[in-house]
Amino acid sequence: MKGSTQIKPQDVIAPIDRRLYGSFIEQLGRAVYTGIYQPGHPSADADGFRTDVINAVKELNVPLIRYPGGNFLSQYKWEDGIGPKDQRPVRLDLAWRELETNQFGLHEFMKWADKVNAVPNMAVNLGTRGIQEAAELVEYCNFPKGTYLSDLRRQNGAADPFAIKTWCLGNEMDGPWEIGAKTAREYAHLANETAKAMLRVDDSLELVACGSSSMDNPTFGDWEETVLDECYDNVDYLSLHRYYGYYNDDDPTELDNFLGKNLDLDAFIKGVVAMCDAVKARKRSTKTINLSFDEWNVWYHSNDADTQVTPWQVGPHLLEDVYNFEDALLVGSLLMTLLRNADRVKIACLAQLVNVIAPIMTDNDGGVWKQSIFYPFMQVANHGVGTVLVDHSQSPTYNSREFKDIPYLDTVTTYDEASHTLTVFAENKHQTDDLDFDLDFTDFTIDHLLEATQFAGYGVKDDNRDGHMALRPLETVTHTDHHATATLAPLSWNMLRFAVK
Ligand code: AHR
């Protein structure tokens, strides 16, 4: 099978906002307790943060981390997580039916985020709380000093303001499962009034309004329009959430369908962009609303196990999906789809980061292990920088249960002018055939090949609990000044990096 791409420097989709490679830590399951925070663990530092986890997160080079939820957010009191730890209350977490000790809160998160070189994407509770508490949280975090709340932050150890720029106005407020779920009209009004108050405290904030928590929700579409209608002038981004599952192990055609689910992600993004722009036109506005895809991943492996978990534990094993090789292929494709939409998707968060539907897993009594999905995410987050170029690829296609014309070759190229580097990500979705990949570099001149790797050769149901998965050299690359070729193995994720003159 043959596939090709043309790489043209003048055909730029957009500069890449590195926040596209964000992730998410929710106070849920073992994400925080025995995940990033475990005083007494052999690798814990003086703050109780696991340094083995910090090192793994740094490998992923995640620039932004959403916190503290998620569904947890919608019944959370941020004040419970500040001040002396021995005076913090233990609470019922109604979202996940866990015990929340509040030993980890705002200051701990800010300190930890700093250690992994990430900025926060903070969220305010609009489920059970509202305008006052949100504005007070902004004051506590961002006001320099001289007020009760800013001085309280200083008393609690943070002399300088946290200067948090990006804020989510609630979480999944359209979802019937959410504590304090709202109709579109109710949410739109509350979000707008909250945004106004938060911006009065700090007018440099960037605000994200909740879009639909899934394209499958019956309110999808009406929700976006109603929310934007009211909030347009006071928000900068609209959020999207999407998780994918593999639902029929007995159906031999399911894998082809699963690997095509990035087409669904693309359609979701394009649909929401259209809605943002329709509201823009109706309002005759010059402002463009961009997208924050602040939850995305594969999530289904743990569904059954989670129904057996005893409630009201601290740090229970919840949402601990063990990802297999086919999940890594889909995650690679989803990342390339986000890149191809980088003109409008400026923030995205892989949900989540540690232990909970996560690329990084911990053993309470042991070390850290990397899931299959760790590898494509790490490569794109580290090397998908600069600008993303228009996809001129050509490939044979196939049809599946849900999708038509899925290209076997999925590829995207980024160009980093600063380092004169072209990075090509490419996936072969064919289950049995090699793909002869032809790359035409037109107006670029290749100096040399920097690196070529493949993630391939595993059974689709293999996972990485035993640590056997690794990126391997892709040894089939040849090149001349303006041209390269490579053979991509069946079911493979590949990355080729070229230094150009
Ligand atoms: O990421 C897990 C959960 O998925 C989040 O808490 C919620 O926002 C979404 O439904």
Side-chain angles (χ1 to χ4, degrees):
M1 192 178 46
K2 292 188 188 313
S4 65
T5 191
Q6 273 194 314
I7 293 154
K8 300 180 179 176
Q10 66 278 16
D11 283 2
V12 172
I13 295 177
I16 298 162
D17 189 325
R18 280 212 68 250
R19 294 176 303 170
L20 206 57
Y21 311 131
S23 190
F24 179 24
I25 287 286
E26 177 166 2
Q27 303 246 159
L28 153 60
R30 297 192 308 121
V32 170
Y33 304 111
T34 71
I36 64 178
Y37 179 73
Q38 191 174 358
H41 186 275
S43 83
D45 65 12
D47 294 311
F49 303 144
R50 285 183 62 153
T51 54
D52 54 355
V53 175
I54 288 175
N55 293 336
V57 174
K58 280 185 176 169
E59 278 185 68
L60 289 180
N61 200 13
V62 171
L64 162 136
I65 301 178
R66 187 163 172 253
Y67 175 83
N71 297 344
F72 171 82
L73 172 73
S74 295
Q75 47 86 67
Y76 179 52
K77 288 174 144 172
W78 64 265
E79 303 89 333
D80 288 345
I82 60 171
K85 288 190 179 179
D86 61 358
Q87 289 167 33
R88 297 186 192 174
V90 176
R91 299 270 190 203
L92 298 183
D93 162 9
L94 301 182
W96 300 103
R97 304 190 78 221
E98 303 175 27
L99 281 189
E100 175 52 64
T101 64
N102 285 303
Q103 293 304 292
F104 187 98
L106 178 60
H107 287 256
E108 289 77 26
F109 177 74
M110 293 304 297
K111 211 173 208 182
W112 181 82
D114 200 44
K115 289 189 185 187
V116 299
N117 306 319
V119 298
N121 180 8
M122 192 56 67
V124 298
N125 171 0
L126 294 188
T128 58
R129 308 188 95 193
I131 305 165
Q132 182 82 27
E133 296 89 344
E136 287 182 357
L137 178 55
V138 177
E139 179 185 337
Y140 184 90
C141 290
N142 285 9
F143 202 77
K145 60 180 178 182
T147 65
Y148 172 74
L149 287 168
S150 55
D151 288 345
L152 186 58
R153 181 198 69 239
R154 292 164 62 83
Q155 195 183 306
N156 287 333
D160 294 330
F162 291 140
I164 300 173
K165 190 171 172 61
T166 311
W167 296 74
C168 303
L169 297 164
N171 177 69
E172 297 196 343
M173 299 308 304
D174 62 325
W177 55 85
E178 199 74 9
I179 304 286
K182 309 230 167 343
T183 65
R185 187 52 66 204
E186 288 167 345
Y187 171 70
H189 189 64
L190 179 59
N192 193 44
E193 294 306 313
T194 304
K196 272 165 51 185
M198 291 168 72
L199 289 166
R200 294 259 170 103
V201 182
D202 180 350
D203 61 10
S204 73
L205 305 185
E206 283 192 334
L207 301 179
V208 184
C210 287
S212 292
S213 52
S214 162
M215 203 165 54
D216 303 330
N217 278 13
T219 51
F220 174 60
D222 287 346
W223 178 276
E224 279 69 11
E225 289 197 36
T226 306
V227 169
L228 285 179
D229 220 28
E230 183 141 359
C231 300
Y232 204 92
D233 293 339
N234 289 316
V235 303
D236 304 282
Y237 303 93
L238 189 65
S239 75
L240 302 82
H241 291 181
R242 195 75 167 142
Y243 293 99
Y244 294 104
Y246 190 104
Y247 293 116
N248 192 352
D249 272 326
D250 300 328
D251 179 351
T253 68
E254 187 67 14
L255 178 60
D256 276 345
N257 192 62
F258 182 73
L259 295 179
K261 291 193 181 207
N262 65 302
L263 272 61
D264 171 279
L265 190 87
D266 191 63
F268 189 15
I269 292 169
K270 298 219 159 51
V272 175
V273 165
M275 288 188 266
C276 291
D277 292 349
V279 178
K280 175 180 181 176
R282 199 165 63 224
K283 286 182 175 286
R284 295 148 182 93
S285 176
T286 52
K287 173 179 173 182
T288 298
I289 299 287
N290 284 317
L291 308 190
S292 173
F293 213 125
D294 52 35
E295 289 187 31
W296 69 270
N297 203 347
V298 173
W299 173 15
Y300 74 98
H301 298 277
S302 59
N303 292 354
D304 290 343
D306 286 353
T307 62
Q308 310 301 318
V309 173
T310 310
W312 314 128
Q313 301 181 65
V314 178
H317 290 261
L318 275 174
L319 280 68
E320 298 204 5
D321 276 42
V322 174
Y323 290 112
N324 55 35
F325 181 59
E326 68 202 8
D327 298 329
L329 292 174
L330 180 58
V331 163
S333 243
L334 297 174
L335 281 161
M336 289 190 283
T337 304
L338 289 171
L339 270 172
R340 281 192 287 266
N341 287 285
D343 55 333
R344 298 302 290 272
V345 184
K346 299 295 176 188
I347 301 173
C349 302
L350 174 71
Q352 301 191 7
L353 186 56
V354 179
N355 286 333
V356 171
I357 43 174
I360 298 167
M361 301 297 287
T362 67
D363 293 325
N364 291 5
D365 306 318
V368 151
W369 62 276
K370 294 169 183 167
Q371 298 245 33
S372 60
I373 63 170
F374 185 95
Y375 297 96
F377 189 90
M378 176 186 69
Q379 290 198 306
V380 179
N382 278 284
H383 298 299
V385 293
T387 54
V388 61
L389 303 182
V390 174
D391 173 27
H392 292 293
S393 63
Q394 296 204 324
S395 167
T397 59
Y398 67 95
N399 296 333
S400 75
R401 181 165 50 79
E402 291 176 284
F403 309 107
K404 279 204 164 49
D405 299 328
I406 305 164
Y408 282 110
L409 169 66
D410 192 357
T411 182
V412 72
T413 301
T414 63
Y415 175 51
D416 183 30
E417 200 173 358
S419 64
H420 301 281
T421 304
L422 273 170
T423 301
V424 182
F425 302 103
E427 191 165 299
N428 176 6
K429 297 189 183 187
H430 202 287
Q431 295 189 36
T432 54
D433 291 2
D434 282 346
L435 190 139
D436 293 326
F437 187 26
D438 191 276
L439 300 99
D440 174 358
F441 286 91
T442 317
D443 295 332
F444 283 109
T445 304
I446 301 174
D447 191 67
H448 59 280
L449 178 69
L450 288 164
E451 184 186 8
T453 62
Q454 60 176 331
F455 195 46
Y458 302 107
V460 286
K461 302 297 179 192
D462 285 4
D463 63 57
N464 198 32
R465 275 176 290 193
D466 62 2
H468 75 296
M469 289 180 163
L471 300 166
R472 297 206 184 86
L474 175 65
E475 281 159 352
T476 54
V477 184
T478 67
H479 74 85
T480 56
D481 281 358
H482 299 288
H483 192 254
T485 63
T487 303
L488 310 184
L491 296 181
S492 64
W493 161 262
N494 306 269
M495 181 184 76
L496 290 74
R497 296 178 57 233
F498 296 94
V500 292
K501 291 177 189 156

Short mmCIF file of all heavy atoms in Angstrom, two decimals, residues 7 19 25 31 64 161 178 210 233 252 346 367 392-393 411 461:
data_model
loop_
_atom_site.label_atom_id
_atom_site.label_comp_id
_atom_site.label_asym_id
_atom_site.label_seq_id
_atom_site.Cartn_x
_atom_site.Cartn_y
_atom_site.Cartn_z
N ILE A 7 4.97 18.55 1.81
CA ILE A 7 5.20 19.45 2.94
C ILE A 7 5.65 20.80 2.39
O ILE A 7 6.72 20.92 1.79
CB ILE A 7 6.24 18.81 3.88
CG1 ILE A 7 5.61 17.55 4.50
CG2 ILE A 7 6.71 19.77 4.94
CD1 ILE A 7 6.58 16.51 4.92
N ARG A 19 -0.19 24.98 24.85
CA ARG A 19 -1.21 24.53 25.80
C ARG A 19 -2.10 23.43 25.20
O ARG A 19 -2.91 22.84 25.90
CB ARG A 19 -2.05 25.71 26.28
CG ARG A 19 -1.26 26.72 27.10
CD ARG A 19 -2.10 27.91 27.47
NE ARG A 19 -2.64 28.57 26.28
CZ ARG A 19 -3.55 29.53 26.33
NH1 ARG A 19 -4.03 29.95 27.48
NH2 ARG A 19 -3.99 30.09 25.21
N ILE A 25 -5.38 17.16 36.46
CA ILE A 25 -5.34 16.46 37.75
C ILE A 25 -6.63 16.80 38.49
O ILE A 25 -6.88 17.97 38.82
CB ILE A 25 -4.12 16.88 38.59
CG1 ILE A 25 -2.83 16.28 38.05
CG2 ILE A 25 -4.31 16.47 40.06
CD1 ILE A 25 -2.63 14.80 38.30
N ALA A 31 -5.38 10.02 41.83
CA ALA A 31 -4.64 11.03 41.06
C ALA A 31 -3.75 11.84 42.00
O ALA A 31 -2.56 12.05 41.74
CB ALA A 31 -5.61 11.95 40.32
N LEU A 64 0.45 22.84 30.84
CA LEU A 64 -0.70 23.40 31.57
C LEU A 64 -1.48 22.25 32.20
O LEU A 64 -1.64 21.20 31.57
CB LEU A 64 -1.56 24.19 30.58
CG LEU A 64 -3.00 24.54 30.92
CD1 LEU A 64 -3.28 26.00 30.54
CD2 LEU A 64 -3.97 23.64 30.18
N PRO A 161 1.46 36.88 44.46
CA PRO A 161 0.21 36.34 43.89
C PRO A 161 0.51 35.13 43.01
O PRO A 161 1.58 35.04 42.41
CB PRO A 161 -0.32 37.48 43.03
CG PRO A 161 0.43 38.69 43.41
CD PRO A 161 1.70 38.27 44.06
N GLU A 178 -23.90 15.66 37.01
CA GLU A 178 -23.11 16.68 37.71
C GLU A 178 -23.90 17.23 38.90
O GLU A 178 -25.09 17.53 38.77
CB GLU A 178 -22.80 17.82 36.72
CG GLU A 178 -21.66 18.71 37.11
CD GLU A 178 -20.29 18.06 36.94
OE1 GLU A 178 -20.21 16.95 36.35
OE2 GLU A 178 -19.32 18.65 37.41
N CYS A 210 -18.26 26.52 29.85
CA CYS A 210 -18.53 25.11 29.58
C CYS A 210 -19.33 24.97 28.30
O CYS A 210 -20.44 25.53 28.18
CB CYS A 210 -19.42 24.51 30.67
SG CYS A 210 -18.60 24.23 32.22
N ASP A 233 -19.16 38.21 25.31
CA ASP A 233 -18.21 39.31 25.53
C ASP A 233 -17.28 39.08 26.70
O ASP A 233 -16.24 39.72 26.81
CB ASP A 233 -18.98 40.62 25.75
CG ASP A 233 -19.69 41.04 24.46
OD1 ASP A 233 -19.27 40.58 23.38
OD2 ASP A 233 -20.68 41.80 24.56
N PRO A 252 -15.07 -8.55 14.78
CA PRO A 252 -13.74 -8.37 14.18
C PRO A 252 -13.57 -7.03 13.45
O PRO A 252 -12.45 -6.64 13.15
CB PRO A 252 -13.63 -9.55 13.20
CG PRO A 252 -15.00 -10.06 13.00
CD PRO A 252 -15.83 -9.66 14.19
N LYS A 346 -6.94 26.00 21.10
CA LYS A 346 -5.73 26.62 21.67
C LYS A 346 -5.32 25.94 22.97
O LYS A 346 -4.17 26.05 23.40
CB LYS A 346 -5.98 28.11 21.91
CG LYS A 346 -6.32 28.89 20.65
CD LYS A 346 -5.15 28.90 19.68
CE LYS A 346 -5.48 29.57 18.36
NZ LYS A 346 -4.41 29.40 17.37
N GLY A 367 7.03 1.79 42.42
CA GLY A 367 7.40 2.91 41.57
C GLY A 367 6.31 3.34 40.62
O GLY A 367 5.11 3.18 40.89
N HIS A 392 -1.34 17.71 3.22
CA HIS A 392 -1.56 17.40 1.80
C HIS A 392 -1.41 15.91 1.55
O HIS A 392 -0.92 15.51 0.49
CB HIS A 392 -0.55 18.15 0.93
CG HIS A 392 -0.74 19.63 0.92
ND1 HIS A 392 -1.83 20.24 0.36
CD2 HIS A 392 0.02 20.65 1.40
CE1 HIS A 392 -1.73 21.55 0.49
NE2 HIS A 392 -0.62 21.83 1.13
N SER A 393 -1.78 15.09 2.53
CA SER A 393 -1.51 13.66 2.37
C SER A 393 -2.53 12.99 1.45
O SER A 393 -3.67 13.45 1.31
CB SER A 393 -1.48 12.97 3.73
OG SER A 393 -2.73 13.07 4.34
N THR A 411 -1.43 11.48 9.04
CA THR A 411 -0.14 12.16 9.23
C THR A 411 -0.31 13.66 9.39
O THR A 411 -1.27 14.25 8.87
CB THR A 411 0.81 11.85 8.05
OG1 THR A 411 2.08 12.49 8.30
CG2 THR A 411 0.27 12.31 6.72
N LYS A 461 -4.08 -5.86 21.99
CA LYS A 461 -4.57 -5.89 23.37
C LYS A 461 -3.42 -5.91 24.39
O LYS A 461 -3.66 -6.01 25.59
CB LYS A 461 -5.47 -7.12 23.61
CG LYS A 461 -6.69 -7.19 22.69
CD LYS A 461 -7.66 -6.03 22.89
CE LYS A 461 -8.83 -6.14 21.92
NZ LYS A 461 -9.64 -4.90 21.87
#
